[in-house]
Amino acid sequence: MSKLRVAVVGASGYAGAVATRLVATHDRLALAFATSDRLVGEGVAAQLGARVDPAVRFVANAAALEHGDACDAVLLATAADVSVRLAPAFAERGKQVVDLSGGFRLAAADYPRWYGFEHAAPAWLERAHYGLPELFGAPPPGALVANPGCYPTAALLALAPLVRAGLVEPTGLVVDAKSGVTGAGRKGGEEYSFVEIDGDLRPYKLLAHQHTPEIARALSAPERPARLTFTAHLLPIARGLLSTCYARPRPGATPERVRACLADAYARTPFVRAVAPEQVMLKRVVGTNLALVGATADADVVVAVAAIDNLLKGAAGQAVQNLNRMNGWDETTGLNGLQRVTP
Amino acid sequence: MSKLRVAVVGASGYAGAVATRLVATHDRLALAFATSDRLVGEGVAAQLGARVDPAVRFVANAAALEHGDACDAVLLATAADVSVRLAPAFAERGKQVVDLSGGFRLAAADYPRWYGFEHAAPAWLERAHYGLPELFGAPPPGALVANPGCYPTAALLALAPLVRAGLVEPTGLVVDAKSGVTGAGRKGGEEYSFVEIDGDLRPYKLLAHQHTPEIARALSAPERPARLTFTAHLLPIARGLLSTCYARPRPGATPERVRACLADAYARTPFVRAVAPEQVMLKRVVGTNLALVGATADADVVVAVAAIDNLLKGAAGQAVQNLNRMNGWDETTGLNGLQRVTP
Amino acid sequence: MSKLRVAVVGASGYAGAVATRLVATHDRLALAFATSDRLVGEGVAAQLGARVDPAVRFVANAAALEHGDACDAVLLATAADVSVRLAPAFAERGKQVVDLSGGFRLAAADYPRWYGFEHAAPAWLERAHYGLPELFGAPPPGALVANPGCYPTAALLALAPLVRAGLVEPTGLVVDAKSGVTGAGRKGGEEYSFVEIDGDLRPYKLLAHQHTPEIARALSAPERPARLTFTAHLLPIARGLLSTCYARPRPGATPERVRACLADAYARTPFVRAVAPEQVMLKRVVGTNLALVGATADADVVVAVAAIDNLLKGAAGQAVQNLNRMNGWDETTGLNGLQRVTP
Amino acid sequence: MSKLRVAVVGASGYAGAVATRLVATHDRLALAFATSDRLVGEGVAAQLGARVDPAVRFVANAAALEHGDACDAVLLATAADVSVRLAPAFAERGKQVVDLSGGFRLAAADYPRWYGFEHAAPAWLERAHYGLPELFGAPPPGALVANPGCYPTAALLALAPLVRAGLVEPTGLVVDAKSGVTGAGRKGGEEYSFVEIDGDLRPYKLLAHQHTPEIARALSAPERPARLTFTAHLLPIARGLLSTCYARPRPGATPERVRACLADAYARTPFVRAVAPEQVMLKRVVGTNLALVGATADADVVVAVAAIDNLLKGAAGQAVQNLNRMNGWDETTGLNGLQRVTP
């Protein structure tokens, strides 16, 4: 069985590094090449601890396209503006593309405000598939896959079934999210030093986080635009993301109904499990591609909670899951050997 | 200058231990005695690292009253049902009483539902003063002081000025709170073991936490009953509590107005400081009696954030602050030497 | 290809839980049954997050033997005195046995002092194989495998090649070891609570740790008895073990020679890698079955360092590695999908 | 009572910041000025959370001497080469000087190798007093005080009484030390980022740490030169330092004798306490100026352990303790309000 040759562009960031390791241990994938400007010329195996041929070395990001023929698929773990340029180029050469950035997740009109640039490939935006498999199915053939953001993955897994079922109002939503530091990417700078983060907790980008419109868009239907307040907090841990979501109940939103709604939505999904909301906790997901979701309600509110590993189900694991589905493989391929960190 | 003799009942729990150490290093206080059933007969200095005479030993909780003559004031770091019995007994003997439990914070009618018992001293409930100095002033002479809960302290410092100023609706409030593990008290049990907590985050007591009615009561006015959803989360840190509060804006609730509202409220309070909401972070308060608060707004929401050390401003530090005010001393006495943990 | 049916006895302890998950995701192994007195009747998949049939439930430890026919091999994650009884019983029924306890690692005469009991199966002690594959090779057919302790695994990987090569004196050794809390097993009790461990570091069992004679025995040759001082410290982390070992140099022990010695010893071992000693760090091994070792020297001392994940290379991972070798499979089977925790 | 006016030079590093806060809350000290090139022009109170007049701003390091008349004493939290220049200049103007760097701790001949520069003030080196009060007494009048390094403080408190009493050989010593990240100073750079440090442990500067000759020098007597191997490890915590020291016993070094030796040495020292070695743990000292020491022995080895807060007893706290002794005050002045972090 020949393997699908996968390139990872931006392989020295946290999500890119995890993606590279997953490719290296996946039975049906082989690492075509990995790019990193920071590590160009260094060995991929030595730098990442990835199980690839020790002779394989990082190439520069700028060389990604010129090496394009060496790959069948590409995982873009690049900044949004870089992805906007690279993804169409790879796609037009017939490569499977999964973009881990925010470059293909919003409407074109939203890019200047939320990402600070005019979108250069609006036609490809139309053809992009939002790759949250449990809510949006398998990518259609030829689609460029926009791999969801970590915060949107968690918020949508918790809220989308409830909104779709009409159990909660689609407006007035509050998503209070807490993420480990890897969610901020590989950072130097005193601000992200151990001493400054350890034991700390803080909100950031209040009322201004670029994942807000991504969540709203994925929750909206033409007749039912969604509207939400989103707050991100930086947790003093490396990995893991938990979102606590508050929604106004619509008639019939009893505790039993909201629980059943999530249970039904995820009855057959290998990576998403509905549990009691107090059972939604990071330690049961970190290290794995699992998401846990749970909800309850009273007369005033529906509370729905979700937990994921931000680098796996929130980034690289979901990217591999999307690759699996694009190729018709079992969607757990290459993700089963992952083990949770808390024993 | 003779010192006020202070007894600490329940001195081996986390709040009680911190209270005992604060009494021991306070220029105007002296430790009268400390009780602990777990450590009865052990040395207080050796067990707590408190700077007291090495000969002083813990006495049993049941002996607190019989030692009552040895003290001028008592800090009760006991369970609510124990405090309900002890606080009036000490108060009736003319002792100053600061109760760190929830025993005197709600209306009598709320105790069966939220604390599981009928309140045995409803007359004293009427006379209890809710000891959040920055919002409720100094205790009147002879009052039993109900020291606020840690979650209510943070939520009220963030929300009360906004509610009182009419900048936000008093209903539909959401308080999403995150606390370190000491907030749960000194616990054995595998559930609170290092391995289970480290790297984890989880919500608990969803829609059922006993601090919910305490916050609502302290936010309410006769003509303006408050109503809120409260969620507590357990952080994988020992100390620190941060609450992110969401409120529906009333007319005029611009970002500038909500900021000015908090700035005005705390312009002259030594322990509460209004800052930009992104500057509200645990590392600036843990180890001290400080609270940081901040707020912002958009058309949909007012977000107000507060951070405290749950054992100091959220418990023992505030208790000493109350003692200082009851005795007419500068309210920072004995609390100035505290140093934040993050250097 | 039919799978080897493996039972895990003591499957709710940390090492047992990790072993159970590894069995569940191993291509050539199937979980026969799992025992746990604490969780008897509970679902294995639900409790451990293991990828096994949700219908499989824990059976009592005492039922392990009576279910013996259902398995081909058994991993004993039990206390040493339990293993001493169970291991021979399974072995005599022709089952492959890997014992993770200390029950078969010392000479019979050492058990009363170090484990507090007389060894009940001294004949099986003679036939036990010390299962540190990189130093002691594959188990002979029919051998009961004594899976090494976590501390001995790290200390021996660092020191044994140097002692065997005559580069250091076998006496006067100092092993200063630091381990995460999972090394102590699943514990309740305030002593192991998050608040007590977080931010702490302490030595324990000074000059009295039962891994001391295990290391000495494995380092000794008939003409060259080894003698060492061993100190264990409890780190405020869940997983990971690092040992810093000090030895008196023998003639020729230059920095180059000691490095080359380790490099040669581990040139072809998939799970042990010799690196510069400053590159030996927990973050490169935790989550994987890897060990990193490194050494340097000056005129006074040879310093050799090793790092492992105490639950994988130090326990369950090594047990699976031993199973792989007992069955003639590639020794990395079922262990390649493991991913390091630090991205 | 007029206060001693103290300048802190290098006040935005971790030790400098802690020193500044201690000066600000010390009854007999007043902050004269604080320097920081990074924060020049910023408010000291706002940046450090120090209880000083909000109007006080950082001045540049280069302006320290020109502001010299404004102070009576100076704490130098500067790099060694900077201190070597500044300390004599302040001392010659009659200021009390406590230097927290390594600039005055070694013999002149050792500076090129261990600090990379020729010492520019060897005459002042002769007059420098090594400021470890429990072992070297109060500074003589007019002395420049060389405040000990964090690692030497812990190692010497554990070993010096045993060496001085002749209970252990002064050569062949091993000091295996573990320190929190603040010991490395305020650092940016990915290497010190939260994600890279969290959960990690590693040795560094193997056989090459500049604290090695400082410890050796302070342990040596003319007839008894000391010789040691020193290894530093970076712990995944912010504060705290624990050293485990191994020495060869001399005749009579029974467990009882080594314990008694430490107990006698520290019978009357307010900040150093001899306890059982298993009771030496970070959580009992972090946040305070305390050191805990303990020792035991067998036929092969004496093991002595010490724990301190590296920023307090290991740096700024000890500097204030030295200031107290230089001025004839109780040596605990201004350090009694410190509270341990673990409740």
Side-chain angles (χ1 to χ4, degrees):
Chain A
M1 175 178 73
S2 78
K3 294 185 172 185
L4 191 79
R5 299 167 306 158
V6 180
V8 180
V9 181
S12 63
Y14 291 132
V18 172
T20 304
R21 292 192 199 102
L22 289 176
V23 168
T25 58
H26 190 294
D27 286 342
R28 323 245 350 197
L29 305 179
L31 185 69
F33 60 88
T35 84
S36 164
D37 284 350
R38 190 169 60 90
L39 298 177
V40 60
E42 300 286 332
V44 174
Q47 289 292 325
L48 302 189
R51 294 191 162 267
V52 297
D53 181 339
V56 175
R57 295 183 180 282
F58 287 101
V59 299
N61 291 336
L65 277 172
E66 101 194 26
H67 286 74
D69 288 344
C71 72
D72 305 309
V74 62
L75 301 178
L76 298 176
T78 36
D81 57 337
V82 175
S83 287
V84 165
R85 190 170 48 75
L86 285 181
F90 277 102
E92 280 156 13
R93 289 162 76 170
K95 309 305 183 188
Q96 297 179 4
V97 178
V98 179
D99 176 31
L100 282 75
S101 86
F104 293 89
R105 300 182 198 149
L106 304 184
D110 287 334
Y111 279 89
R113 172 174 174 197
W114 295 99
Y115 283 89
F117 60 79
E118 287 285 339
H119 202 283
W124 274 101
L125 260 187
E126 300 294 316
R127 295 168 60 184
H129 171 81
Y130 192 67
L132 189 35
E134 291 82 3
L135 295 172
F136 294 89
L144 182 165
V145 173
N147 208 58
C150 51
Y151 286 123
T153 294
L156 293 168
L157 289 173
L159 285 174
L162 300 167
V163 171
R164 290 178 179 180
L167 288 169
V168 301
E169 298 291 344
T171 59
L173 299 164
V174 170
V175 174
D176 190 281
K178 302 92 176 168
S179 173
V181 187
T182 53
R186 193 181 293 271
K187 290 279 176 65
E190 187 196 320
E191 186 184 358
Y192 290 95
S193 72
F194 180 83
V195 178
E196 298 303 310
I197 298 286
D198 184 48
D200 192 24
L201 179 77
R202 77 181 81 169
Y204 66 98
K205 287 195 194 177
L206 274 165
L207 303 180
H209 197 289
Q210 71 278 9
H211 284 172
T212 312
E214 181 180 337
I215 301 169
R217 187 190 196 209
L219 279 180
S220 295
E223 75 292 352
R224 182 178 39 72
R227 209 170 159 87
L228 75 145
T229 295
F230 172 74
T231 308
H233 299 77
L234 198 61
L235 289 172
I237 61 174
R239 299 171 77 150
L241 187 162
L242 187 141
S243 281
T244 313
C245 308
Y246 302 88
R248 284 177 294 166
R250 298 192 64 204
T254 60
E256 296 70 29
R257 290 282 299 279
V258 301
R259 283 172 200 187
C261 173
L262 293 181
D264 291 350
Y266 303 117
R268 270 172 297 277
T269 55
F271 290 125
V272 185
R273 295 187 192 154
V275 297
E278 286 89 353
Q279 293 298 314
V280 176
M281 52 182 76
L282 293 186
K283 72 177 173 184
R284 295 179 62 190
V285 300
V286 172
T288 79
N289 200 48
L290 284 180
L292 293 177
V293 299
T296 188
D298 65 14
D300 293 329
V301 76
V302 173
V303 184
V305 194
I308 59 172
D309 184 320
N310 56 298
L311 291 175
L312 289 167
K313 185 61 178 166
Q318 187 145 268
V320 169
Q321 190 185 351
N322 277 312
L323 265 187
N324 287 340
R325 294 194 71 150
M326 291 163 88
N327 290 283
W329 306 326
D330 182 298
E331 72 184 313
T332 68
T333 312
L335 300 168
N336 275 323
L338 295 169
Q339 306 284 346
R340 57 189 254 198
V341 173
T342 300
Chain B
M1 177 178 75
S2 78
K3 295 185 172 185
L4 191 79
R5 300 168 304 157
V6 180
V8 181
V9 181
S12 63
Y14 291 132
V18 172
T20 304
R21 291 191 200 102
L22 289 176
V23 168
T25 59
H26 190 294
D27 286 342
R28 321 228 15 180
L29 305 179
L31 185 69
F33 60 87
T35 83
S36 164
D37 284 349
R38 190 170 59 88
L39 299 177
V40 60
E42 301 285 333
V44 173
Q47 289 292 324
L48 301 189
R51 292 189 164 270
V52 297
D53 181 339
V56 173
R57 297 184 178 281
F58 288 102
V59 299
N61 291 336
L65 277 171
E66 99 194 30
H67 286 73
D69 288 344
C71 71
D72 306 308
V74 64
L75 301 178
L76 299 176
T78 35
D81 56 336
V82 175
S83 286
V84 165
R85 189 170 48 76
L86 285 182
F90 278 102
E92 280 156 13
R93 289 162 75 170
K95 310 303 180 187
Q96 297 179 2
V97 178
V98 180
D99 176 31
L100 283 75
S101 86
F104 293 87
R105 301 183 198 147
L106 305 184
D110 288 333
Y111 278 88
R113 172 173 173 197
W114 295 100
Y115 283 89
F117 59 80
E118 287 285 340
H119 202 284
W124 275 102
L125 260 188
E126 301 294 315
R127 295 168 59 184
H129 170 81
Y130 192 66
L132 189 36
E134 292 82 2
L135 295 172
F136 294 90
L144 182 164
V145 174
N147 208 58
C150 51
Y151 286 123
T153 295
L156 293 168
L157 289 174
L159 286 173
L162 300 167
V163 170
R164 291 178 179 179
L167 288 168
V168 302
E169 298 291 345
T171 59
L173 299 164
V174 169
V175 175
D176 190 280
K178 303 90 177 168
S179 173
V181 186
T182 51
R186 195 181 292 272
K187 290 279 176 66
E190 187 197 320
E191 184 184 358
Y192 289 94
S193 73
F194 180 84
V195 178
E196 299 304 309
I197 298 286
D198 183 48
D200 193 24
L201 178 76
R202 78 181 80 168
Y204 66 97
K205 286 196 193 175
L206 275 165
L207 303 181
H209 197 289
Q210 73 278 8
H211 284 172
T212 312
E214 180 180 339
I215 301 170
R217 187 190 196 210
L219 280 180
S220 295
E223 75 291 355
R224 179 177 44 69
R227 208 171 159 86
L228 75 145
T229 296
F230 172 75
T231 309
H233 299 78
L234 199 60
L235 288 171
I237 61 175
R239 297 171 78 149
L241 187 162
L242 187 142
S243 280
T244 313
C245 308
Y246 303 88
R248 284 177 293 165
R250 299 192 62 204
T254 61
E256 295 71 29
R257 289 282 298 281
V258 301
R259 283 172 201 188
C261 174
L262 294 182
D264 292 350
Y266 303 118
R268 270 172 297 276
T269 55
F271 290 126
V272 185
R273 296 185 192 155
V275 296
E278 287 89 353
Q279 294 299 315
V280 177
M281 52 183 76
L282 294 187
K283 72 176 172 184
R284 296 178 63 190
V285 300
V286 172
T288 78
N289 199 48
L290 285 180
L292 293 176
V293 299
T296 188
D298 65 14
D300 293 330
V301 76
V302 173
V303 184
V305 194
I308 59 171
D309 184 320
N310 55 298
L311 291 176
L312 289 166
K313 185 61 179 166
Q318 188 145 267
V320 170
Q321 189 184 351
N322 277 313
L323 265 189
N324 286 339
R325 294 194 72 150
M326 291 162 88
N327 290 283
W329 306 326
D330 182 298
E331 73 185 311
T332 68
T333 312
L335 301 168
N336 274 322
L338 294 169
Q339 305 285 346
R340 56 188 254 198
V341 173
T342 299
Chain C
M1 178 178 72
S2 77
K3 295 185 171 185
L4 192 79
R5 300 168 304 157
V6 180
V8 181
V9 181
S12 63
Y14 291 133
V18 172
T20 304
R21 292 191 199 102
L22 289 176
V23 168
T25 59
H26 190 294
D27 287 342
R28 322 234 6 188
L29 305 179
L31 185 69
F33 60 88
T35 84
S36 164
D37 284 349
R38 189 170 59 90
L39 299 177
V40 61
E42 301 286 331
V44 173
Q47 290 292 324
L48 302 190
R51 293 191 164 269
V52 297
D53 181 340
V56 175
R57 295 183 180 281
F58 288 101
V59 298
N61 291 336
L65 278 171
E66 101 196 29
H67 286 73
D69 289 343
C71 72
D72 306 309
V74 63
L75 301 178
L76 299 176
T78 34
D81 57 335
V82 176
S83 286
V84 165
R85 190 172 47 77
L86 284 182
F90 277 103
E92 279 156 13
R93 288 162 75 170
K95 309 304 180 186
Q96 297 179 3
V97 177
V98 179
D99 175 31
L100 283 76
S101 86
F104 293 88
R105 301 182 197 148
L106 304 184
D110 288 334
Y111 278 89
R113 172 173 175 199
W114 295 100
Y115 283 90
F117 59 80
E118 287 284 341
H119 203 285
W124 274 101
L125 260 188
E126 300 293 317
R127 294 168 59 185
H129 170 82
Y130 193 66
L132 188 36
E134 293 81 3
L135 295 172
F136 294 89
L144 183 164
V145 173
N147 209 58
C150 51
Y151 286 122
T153 295
L156 293 168
L157 289 173
L159 285 174
L162 299 167
V163 170
R164 290 178 179 180
L167 288 169
V168 302
E169 298 291 344
T171 59
L173 299 165
V174 169
V175 175
D176 189 280
K178 303 91 176 169
S179 172
V181 185
T182 53
R186 194 181 293 272
K187 291 277 176 67
E190 188 197 320
E191 184 184 359
Y192 290 95
S193 73
F194 181 84
V195 178
E196 298 303 310
I197 299 285
D198 184 48
D200 193 23
L201 178 77
R202 78 181 79 169
Y204 66 97
K205 286 195 193 176
L206 275 165
L207 303 181
H209 197 290
Q210 72 279 9
H211 284 173
T212 311
E214 180 180 337
I215 300 170
R217 187 190 196 209
L219 280 179
S220 295
E223 75 291 354
R224 180 178 42 71
R227 208 170 160 86
L228 75 145
T229 296
F230 172 76
T231 309
H233 299 78
L234 199 61
L235 288 171
I237 62 174
R239 297 172 77 149
L241 187 163
L242 187 140
S243 281
T244 312
C245 309
Y246 302 88
R248 283 176 294 166
R250 298 192 62 204
T254 61
E256 296 71 29
R257 289 282 299 279
V258 300
R259 283 172 202 187
C261 173
L262 293 182
D264 291 350
Y266 303 118
R268 269 173 297 276
T269 55
F271 289 125
V272 184
R273 295 185 193 155
V275 296
E278 285 90 353
Q279 294 298 315
V280 176
M281 51 183 76
L282 293 186
K283 72 176 172 184
R284 296 178 63 191
V285 300
V286 172
T288 79
N289 200 49
L290 285 180
L292 293 177
V293 298
T296 188
D298 65 13
D300 293 329
V301 76
V302 172
V303 183
V305 193
I308 59 171
D309 184 321
N310 57 297
L311 292 175
L312 289 167
K313 185 61 179 165
Q318 187 145 269
V320 170
Q321 188 184 351
N322 277 313
L323 265 188
N324 286 340
R325 294 193 72 150
M326 290 162 89
N327 289 283
W329 306 327
D330 182 298
E331 74 184 311
T332 68
T333 311
L335 301 169
N336 274 322
L338 295 169
Q339 305 285 346
R340 56 189 253 196
V341 172
T342 299
Chain D
M1 176 178 73
S2 79
K3 294 186 173 185
L4 191 79
R5 299 167 306 157
V6 180
V8 181
V9 182
S12 63
Y14 290 131
V18 172
T20 304
R21 292 192 199 101
L22 289 177
V23 168
T25 58
H26 190 294
D27 286 342
R28 323 238 359 191
L29 305 179
L31 186 68
F33 60 89
T35 84
S36 163
D37 285 349
R38 190 169 61 89
L39 299 177
V40 61
E42 301 285 332
V44 173
Q47 289 292 324
L48 301 190
R51 293 191 164 267
V52 297
D53 181 340
V56 175
R57 296 185 180 281
F58 288 102
V59 298
N61 291 336
L65 277 171
E66 100 194 29
H67 286 74
D69 289 344
C71 71
D72 305 309
V74 63
L75 301 177
L76 298 176
T78 35
D81 56 337
V82 176
S83 287
V84 165
R85 190 171 48 76
L86 285 182
F90 277 103
E92 280 156 13
R93 288 163 74 171
K95 309 303 180 188
Q96 296 179 4
V97 178
V98 179
D99 176 30
L100 283 75
S101 85
F104 293 88
R105 300 182 198 148
L106 305 185
D110 287 334
Y111 278 89
R113 171 173 175 198
W114 294 101
Y115 282 90
F117 60 81
E118 287 284 339
H119 202 283
W124 275 101
L125 262 187
E126 301 294 315
R127 296 168 58 184
H129 171 81
Y130 192 67
L132 189 37
E134 292 82 3
L135 295 172
F136 294 88
L144 183 164
V145 173
N147 208 57
C150 51
Y151 287 123
T153 295
L156 293 168
L157 289 173
L159 285 174
L162 299 168
V163 170
R164 291 178 179 180
L167 288 168
V168 302
E169 299 291 344
T171 60
L173 298 164
V174 170
V175 175
D176 189 280
K178 304 90 176 167
S179 171
V181 186
T182 52
R186 193 181 293 272
K187 290 280 177 65
E190 187 197 319
E191 184 183 358
Y192 290 94
S193 73
F194 181 84
V195 178
E196 299 302 311
I197 298 286
D198 183 48
D200 192 24
L201 178 77
R202 77 181 81 168
Y204 66 97
K205 287 196 194 176
L206 275 165
L207 303 182
H209 197 289
Q210 72 277 8
H211 284 172
T212 312
E214 181 180 337
I215 301 169
R217 188 190 196 209
L219 280 180
S220 295
E223 74 293 353
R224 180 178 41 70
R227 207 170 160 87
L228 75 145
T229 295
F230 172 75
T231 308
H233 299 78
L234 199 61
L235 287 171
I237 61 174
R239 297 171 80 148
L241 188 162
L242 187 142
S243 281
T244 313
C245 308
Y246 302 88
R248 283 176 294 166
R250 297 191 66 203
T254 61
E256 295 69 29
R257 290 281 299 280
V258 301
R259 282 172 202 188
C261 174
L262 294 181
D264 291 350
Y266 303 119
R268 269 172 298 277
T269 56
F271 290 125
V272 184
R273 295 186 193 156
V275 297
E278 286 89 352
Q279 293 299 313
V280 176
M281 51 182 76
L282 294 187
K283 72 176 173 185
R284 297 178 62 190
V285 299
V286 172
T288 78
N289 200 49
L290 285 181
L292 293 177
V293 299
T296 188
D298 65 14
D300 293 329
V301 75
V302 172
V303 184
V305 194
I308 59 171
D309 184 319
N310 55 298
L311 292 175
L312 289 166
K313 185 61 179 165
Q318 187 145 270
V320 170
Q321 190 184 351
N322 277 312
L323 266 187
N324 287 340
R325 294 193 71 150
M326 291 162 88
N327 289 283
W329 306 327
D330 182 299
E331 72 185 313
T332 68
T333 311
L335 300 168
N336 274 323
L338 295 169
Q339 304 285 346
R340 56 189 254 198
V341 173
T342 299

